[in-house]
Amino acid sequence: MRFFWLVISLVAMALMTSIVLRAQDYPPDMSRGKAVYERHCVSCHGAGGWGDGPSAVLLRIPPANFHRFSSFLKSDEELLRTIEHGVVYSPMHAWRGQLTDGEMQDVVAYIRLLSQQSR
């Protein structure tokens, strides 16, 4: 009887793991993230992630500077949530529906790379 419950619990764990891994079947990729960032983010956040893109001067609320300590402290989940849902009362709009889950995760990986570079 113990063997039966052991098998059932192992099967349940395998199913739960496969459900969790379906969100993205591959690890985030910085080169894919760079392409998405350059297509959608660079106009506000700038090529280096300093918040100095060409559209930044037109915004009442400045875009995030990924080199600031406050940005560095944000978890990947917080950055993903910001990309996915946007920021209320700011020009940062939601990208859900325009970017896939994988593209958003790739952008976070690229933002992490940008935040480590200096001018």
Side-chain angles (χ1 to χ4, degrees), residues 61 85-92:
I61 299 172
H85 301 291
V87 178
V88 177
Y89 304 116
S90 85
M92 178 63 188

Side-chain angles (χ1 to χ4, degrees), residues 21-86:
L21 293 178
R22 283 188 195 152
Q24 181 168 335
D25 294 332
Y26 53 87
D29 182 274
M30 287 180 240
S31 61
R32 288 189 305 254
K34 180 180 181 182
V36 174
Y37 183 90
E38 288 175 346
R39 194 169 51 249
H40 298 291
C41 312
V42 78
S43 66
C44 293
H45 295 284
W50 295 93
D52 60 352
S55 299
V57 295
L58 305 172
L59 304 174
R60 287 187 178 179
I61 299 172
N65 174 348
F66 300 123
H67 299 272
R68 286 190 153 173
F69 193 63
S70 58
S71 291
F72 179 76
L73 289 176
K74 291 184 178 181
S75 68
D76 288 355
E77 291 78 18
E78 288 176 290
L79 291 173
L80 278 170
R81 190 171 41 247
T82 299
I83 294 167
E84 183 176 2
H85 301 291

